Every structure is written in structure tokens, then in C-alpha cells.
Amino acid sequence: MFNALPQEYRVAPPEELRARIAAAREQLGSRLTILAHHYQRLEVCEFADHIGDSYGLSKIAAAMPEVDYIVFCGVHFMAESADILAQPDQTTFLPNPLAGCPMADMAEVADVMEAWAVLNDLGVADRTIPVSYMNTAAGLKAFTGKNGGLICTSSNANGALEWSLSRGDKVFFFPDEHLGYNTAVRFGVPRERIVFWDFAEDQGGLTDEQIREATVILWKGHCHVHTNFSPEHIDQMRETYPDVRIIVHPECPPAVVDKADAFGSTKFITEYCESAPAGAVIAIGTEVNLINRMAHYYPDKTILELSGQTCAVCANMYRTTLNDLAFCLERIDDFKPIRVPEHIKADARLALERMLEIPK
Ligand code: 13P
Ligand code: SF4
């Protein structure tokens, strides 16, 4: 299998792996940068040069032309985005190549093109701007760029809607219905002008009229980690901790985001925890590794997982271990990189660059 982890890395004890990662890192010196998403395990984050949200890490990847190797501890679409934005002589690696994103997989380019053909037949495609969440495969980013659209993340989705609705009458948003809905409603799009494209149904389950009348069409994808949270979790948390502040990620369902005290990207959530006063009680609706890391960094604050359970694990983010990182760094010249094919890159870069230009 592609970059299968050799046995020697599987059995090495953590202390040995730590020493080997540190040595490999030192040897590669300024030729290397290690990026880690906020959902990575604590022990992986400890080796990162930069920890961030999807937006921040893509910006960093685009602004380090002096580095030869970008090792991205995250999931596949993140490493692809770094490769798209990096210089041609830079190489991007995903230490565990099996780390994907099930939500990104919910919007396949072939299905999206079929949906777009329907819009074309109805005569509305040329006034529709595609907006794709960062959590999409490179092929969908290219489709987006080619059709006049842009990428957004959880931290700039509002700006992306503004950009799009000043250039077209309609937005087709992929693939997270919840981020799309939470953003569109706050942007002021009337609820009756937001429709859901169910990719399991013919014509998205929509009538010609519904498509024509819509301002925002939301692809019916979701994140199985964030849809774990419910408004009842918020009620229970407030009952147990009357002073609690509830902070959630916008991939959570609207009923959860509406009841929370604040919502935002993983960077927003970590900054919220950092700036809260000692003694604060904060319940967080996002991936549990971020929450555990915040609780570890700020022992003077009570930082809780919103559902009160430990079910909010992104198994894909969790795949990357010290074993993978040691293997990737020690064998970097043999490790299979993430390379987005050239015929996809140009249009995908266009969509990402449009995102980097909009105000946050
Ligand atoms: P952020 O852009 O907020 O880091 O979120 C990425 C993600 O995958 C959330 O599930
Ligand atoms: Fe994808 Fe959800 Fe994991 Fe984020 S938390 S990477 S959206 S599966």
C-alpha cells in the first residue's frame, strides 16, 4: 500500500519516536516546515512549527517559498490545498496518507457537474457563483475556479457570500449544508430563499421553480463529528454550569449554533479559550482533540466537551501519529508526496487565491 508504515515505526516506543522526529527535524533544518491542524493529537502538535485552522494554514503554506518540504499534519484536502498554493519546487506531504474527510467526499465532482448541468438547462448557471468549502477535493476546487467561484473556510464564509452575491444572483455552496445555512441566514438571505440540494435525489429533490427562486442552494453534505451536538446538550450544560460559555464550530447544525454564545473557526475557538479569564467555564462543540489540548494548556479554566461525552472524535484527524511523522521525516526523499495534477492546479489555485484576497 501507498506509504504503508514499516514495522520498525509501528513498534518504536513514543520516547524513541520523539527523539527520532527531533533529530530528523534538526537535520532538515530550515528546508522543512511542519504544519498541524488544531484537531491533531497533542503530541503531534508539539512538533508543529505552526498550528492553525484551515484558512491560516493555507495562508502559511502560500507564504513560505524558502521551504523545500511542507509536512501537513491534517487531512487530505488540507495537504492538497497546500500543494496547490505552494511553489512548483516545493513538496507537500501528508504523514498519514489515509487521513481523508468524509464530508469532502460527499461532494463528488461528477455529481456536482450533473447538478450544474441542471442549472444550465434552467438558464440560471451563468448567474450562479459556486462557493466551495475548503473541505473539498482539488477537482471540485478547480470546478469552482473555472466557473467564476471561490473557496471559503469557516472563518471567511461571510466574506465569500458577499463576494459571490455581488457578482451573481445565486450561490451554489458545497458541501456543508450547516456552514452554508448558518452563514447565509446571518448574511440576511431570507430562509425561504435557501434550498437544499440532496445529491441522493433526482434534480437534488428540487423543482425547477425552487431552483429558479433560490438565492442560496446548499449541497446536502455534513460533518458527522459536528452533527453529534444537539440543542439538548446546550440546555444540559447550562443547567449544570449556569456560568458556562458555549462556543461551537459553524459545522454544527443551526439549532446548536443559534443557542451557543459564540461560534467560529478552530482558530476562533482556541483564541477564545486563550483570552478567557482564569476560572472561566467553557463548553466547546467541536472535535475533542482540540478541546483536550485547550484543557491541557489552560488548567486554570474549566474546558469541557459540549456533549459531555467523548464521541466528537474526527477519526481521520486522529490517524496521524508520532509513528507516521517519524516515518515521513526520516524517509522524506522516498515518501510519496501529495501532488495535485497540473491540469487541475491552475483553476483550483484561482479559486483559492480569490479566497485569500477577500477581507475576513
Ligand atoms: P477550521 O477551518 O475551522 O479549522 O475547520 C476545519 C474542519 O475540518 C472543521 O471540521
Ligand atoms: Fe472533515 Fe468533520 Fe473531520 Fe473536519 S471534523 S476533517 S469536516 S470529518
Side-chain angles (χ1 to χ4, degrees):
M1 203 203 328
F2 177 94
N3 278 343
L5 190 67
Q7 184 65 5
E8 69 147 311
Y9 291 96
R10 291 176 193 266
V11 296
E15 276 326 304
E16 180 190 322
L17 290 169
R18 282 195 170 86
R20 287 171 65 169
I21 293 168
R25 202 172 168 213
E26 202 175 313
Q27 201 186 355
L28 291 165
S30 59
R31 299 180 68 198
L32 167 75
T33 190
I34 302 177
L35 310 181
H37 185 262
H38 281 301
Y39 295 161
Q40 290 291 296
R41 298 161 183 249
L42 174 65
E43 65 265 31
V44 169
C45 288
E46 281 171 356
F47 283 104
D49 296 300
H50 302 276
I51 306 173
D53 63 2
S54 305
Y55 177 79
L57 293 174
S58 69
K59 262 190 104 159
I60 290 170
M64 303 191 87
E66 70 287 3
V67 157
D68 294 330
Y69 304 116
I70 300 171
V71 172
F72 207 127
C73 301
V75 290
H76 195 261
F77 73 80
M78 295 180 175
E80 272 191 342
S81 302
D83 181 55
I84 293 164
L85 289 168
Q87 300 300 312
D89 57 348
Q90 294 182 300
T91 315
T92 304
F93 300 92
L94 183 66
N96 188 317
L98 298 177
C101 168
M103 181 216 271
D105 295 342
M106 287 179 193
E108 289 190 11
V109 185
D111 292 339
V112 168
M113 285 172 82
E114 226 174 87
W116 197 256
V118 172
L119 268 61
N120 242 321
D121 291 346
L122 292 175
V124 296
D126 58 345
R127 296 294 300 149
T128 302
I129 307 291
V131 178
S132 288
Y133 193 21
M134 184 66 103
N135 302 36
T136 48
L140 185 46
K141 289 188 173 75
F143 169 89
T144 305
K146 198 174 178 162
N147 288 285
L150 85 172
I151 306 304
C152 76
T153 72
S154 59
S155 63
N156 57 18
N158 189 68
L161 272 195
E162 191 173 347
W163 186 94
S164 304
L165 289 173
S166 67
R167 285 163 175 80
D169 303 332
K170 241 185 242 315
V171 163
F172 205 162
F173 187 93
F174 311 97
D176 185 15
E177 60 164 307
H178 299 311
L179 173 68
Y181 190 86
N182 288 324
T183 309
V185 164
R186 282 161 184 79
F187 186 77
V189 179
R191 283 165 206 260
E192 64 278 10
R193 293 210 171 243
I194 304 174
V195 296
F196 299 86
W197 186 283
D198 185 344
F199 50 92
E201 305 259 346
D202 264 1
Q203 195 164 300
L206 298 171
T207 62
D208 292 359
E209 196 189 341
Q210 281 175 310
I211 297 170
R212 282 204 183 93
E213 293 292 304
T215 303
V216 174
I217 305 172
L218 301 171
W219 195 257
K220 211 166 162 37
H222 66 274
C223 165
H224 66 288
V225 178
H226 289 89
T227 46
N228 264 318
F229 299 108
S230 69
E232 290 71 37
H233 291 141
I234 297 189
D235 296 339
Q236 282 160 13
M237 201 47 91
R238 293 204 197 280
E239 215 176 291
T240 316
Y241 301 95
D243 295 331
V244 70
R245 306 299 289 167
I246 312 249
I247 317 300
V248 303
H249 194 276
E251 286 175 16
C252 290
V256 173
V257 173
D258 290 349
K259 273 198 160 194
D261 295 301
F263 70 94
S265 76
T266 54
K267 175 174 186 258
F268 171 85
I269 296 170
T270 54
E271 287 179 351
Y272 190 97
C273 293
E274 188 183 350
S275 62
V281 183
I282 306 166
I284 303 176
T286 196
E287 209 277 338
V288 75
N289 280 285
L290 178 154
I291 302 169
N292 290 344
R293 202 159 46 83
M294 292 299 105
H296 175 79
Y297 287 168
Y298 308 114
D300 57 336
K301 306 169 196 182
T302 303
I303 297 181
L304 306 161
E305 196 260 350
L306 175 59
S307 76
Q309 301 157 11
T310 50
C311 59
V313 181
C314 176
N316 281 281
M317 286 284 184
Y318 199 62
R319 280 180 189 269
T320 303
T321 59
L322 290 182
N323 315 60
D324 299 312
L325 188 55
F327 175 38
C328 177
L329 295 185
E330 287 191 337
R331 312 265 187 102
I332 203 148
D333 289 321
D334 303 320
F335 202 89
K336 188 164 179 182
I338 297 294
R339 282 203 201 287
V340 175
E342 285 305 320
H343 69 280
I344 291 181
K345 248 185 185 172
D347 286 331
R349 188 182 299 121
L350 188 61
L352 279 163
E353 284 174 352
R354 285 181 183 138
M355 172 191 82
L356 294 173
E357 279 160 21
I358 57 169
K360 270 184 79 182

